[in-house]
Amino acid sequence: MADFLVALVGFDRRRGWEALGHASLFAFLTSELGLSKSAACYRRSAAELLQVFPEVIGPLREGQLCLSTIGELAQVLTEENRAVVTPRFFGLAAREAQELVAELQPRHVPSTRMVVTRLFDRPVESARVAQPMLSLELASGPMPCVDPNVVPPWRFPTSGIANGGGADDGGVPVHPRRDEIVPLNANLRRVHFNVDRQVVRKLKDAREGPREPIPAAVRRAVWERDQGRCTWPLDGGGCCGSTHRLELDHLIPWAEWGPSTVENLRVVCNRHNALAARQIFGARCVERYARKRGPRRDSA
């Protein structure tokens, strides 16, 4: 690998890829040599680093550095810190090198954040279970200061592949693997994992706290629009029209993050409200919820 990278450095300096009709070194590695985009990014990043810091060739030949750790080293190595930083990467595995990069060049992100994304590229295990992705950033301790001697992240953009991010030359984003922990700085980690829909609901409930009551102005507008009668549609035509034990019902259920707006609310009787809940969530779920929460607060 060391001999190949040294040859690649000379090949890139004389723009040998251009003489062969390729637009870039990356295109040569993928088209001519048949490397994957990730492998090509690693090798191009290493070739760029060796052109600026040829002293890295020695540790690479001796096995003190490998291709993945060179990609991490490229993100933080400068003329000023080369003598101190390079030896710290000797003998490290790829994950350990990522930890060191996060310590030397922390990412500026909020201390805590939650992102929930529905996955469409994986089969759903059950017809009633979605598979969203949670991206959680967990922090402990103060955010460390940025080392003024480290290079900016854009200097070796392709080495971001080793950190689980970035984009290839074709503009295609390279996403991190779906189940992993990505170091952001010395204390902050981004955790990727899959959970089912029920866990997402519980997290949302815990984050938002107790349910807020429907605003009085919205309640009045819905009541006036529906004329104080149950609007549940009947199979034979028309609507229920009952005025007994009326309640406000969310068309898109509140448990499904439906808003408490005039457009999403309707007046229904208690019996039809319970029927709607059973149709959406199932009888067992509704009965368990009723025992736990007690009487509803939306009774009109």
Side-chain angles (χ1 to χ4, degrees):
M1 178 59 68
D3 291 338
F4 173 79
L5 292 178
V6 171
L8 198 62
V9 168
F11 181 76
D12 189 34
R13 280 176 175 168
R14 64 178 182 271
R15 300 175 69 88
W17 43 266
E18 188 176 47
L20 296 176
H22 296 282
S24 64
L25 178 62
F26 179 86
F28 167 79
L29 293 173
T30 54
S31 301
E32 190 80 13
L33 300 188
L35 298 179
S36 68
K37 292 181 178 180
S38 177
C41 284
Y42 273 119
R43 284 154 180 78
R44 185 184 66 175
S45 178
E48 292 173 349
L49 179 69
L50 294 182
Q51 292 185 52
V52 182
F53 303 103
E55 68 270 17
V56 177
I57 297 175
L60 180 64
R61 291 187 184 278
E62 296 170 4
Q64 295 175 306
L65 293 172
C66 64
L67 189 60
S68 59
T69 54
I70 284 182
E72 301 298 331
L73 176 62
Q75 299 182 71
V76 295
L77 194 60
T78 67
E79 292 287 348
E80 293 77 14
N81 66 20
R82 60 199 301 176
V84 177
V85 171
T86 302
R88 296 187 63 182
F89 283 82
F90 290 173
L92 297 185
R95 177 53 58 87
E96 295 171 331
Q98 292 178 15
E99 299 279 350
L100 182 54
V101 169
E103 176 186 339
L104 297 174
Q105 186 171 281
R107 305 186 191 182
H108 293 283
V109 293
S111 58
T112 59
R113 185 176 63 140
M114 180 182 293
V115 179
V116 182
T117 306
R118 188 183 301 274
L119 300 183
F120 294 100
D121 57 344
R122 287 189 176 184
V124 177
E125 296 179 0
S126 168
R128 297 179 58 188
V129 178
Q131 292 291 332
M133 169 72 72
L134 291 186
S135 176
L136 303 180
E137 293 175 5
L138 310 176
S140 60
M143 297 281 285
C145 298
V146 178
D147 189 336
N149 294 322
V150 300
V151 298
W154 47 261
R155 170 145 179 202
F156 296 100
T158 57
S159 60
I161 302 299
N163 243 358
D168 58 36
D169 274 11
V172 179
V174 181
H175 300 289
R177 293 185 300 275
R178 286 244 152 60
D179 297 297
E180 65 175 359
I181 300 176
V182 179
L184 301 181
N185 56 43
N187 298 307
L188 192 62
R189 301 293 180 268
R190 177 176 288 120
V191 183
H192 297 270
F193 59 95
N194 295 338
V195 298
D196 62 27
R197 199 173 188 176
Q198 184 178 6
V199 174
V200 176
R201 290 177 183 168
K202 290 181 178 180
L203 287 173
K204 180 178 183 296
D205 290 342
R207 182 175 55 183
E208 294 184 350
R211 177 178 177 177
E212 295 295 329
I214 298 174
V218 173
R219 183 185 295 272
R220 286 194 299 269
V222 175
W223 186 266
E224 292 175 0
R225 183 199 61 198
D226 296 343
Q227 299 179 359
R229 294 180 179 274
C230 176
T231 59
W232 183 268
L234 302 177
D235 294 340
C239 59
C240 171
S242 173
T243 59
H244 179 64
R245 298 185 65 186
L246 298 178
E247 300 176 352
L248 294 184
D249 174 49
H250 289 73
L251 295 173
I252 301 175
W254 180 83
E256 297 284 351
W257 307 350
S260 295
T261 60
V262 175
E263 296 76 17
N264 194 48
L265 289 169
R266 62 180 174 180
V267 176
V268 293
C269 62
N270 176 267
R271 180 170 297 181
H272 281 131
N273 199 358
L275 176 60
R278 285 180 170 82
Q279 290 178 349
I280 297 174
F281 302 107
R284 293 180 60 185
C285 179
V286 172
E287 292 171 2
R288 183 169 61 250
Y289 179 83
R291 289 194 301 268
K292 181 179 179 180
R293 297 296 295 270
R296 292 175 57 90
R297 297 183 179 181
D298 290 339
S299 297

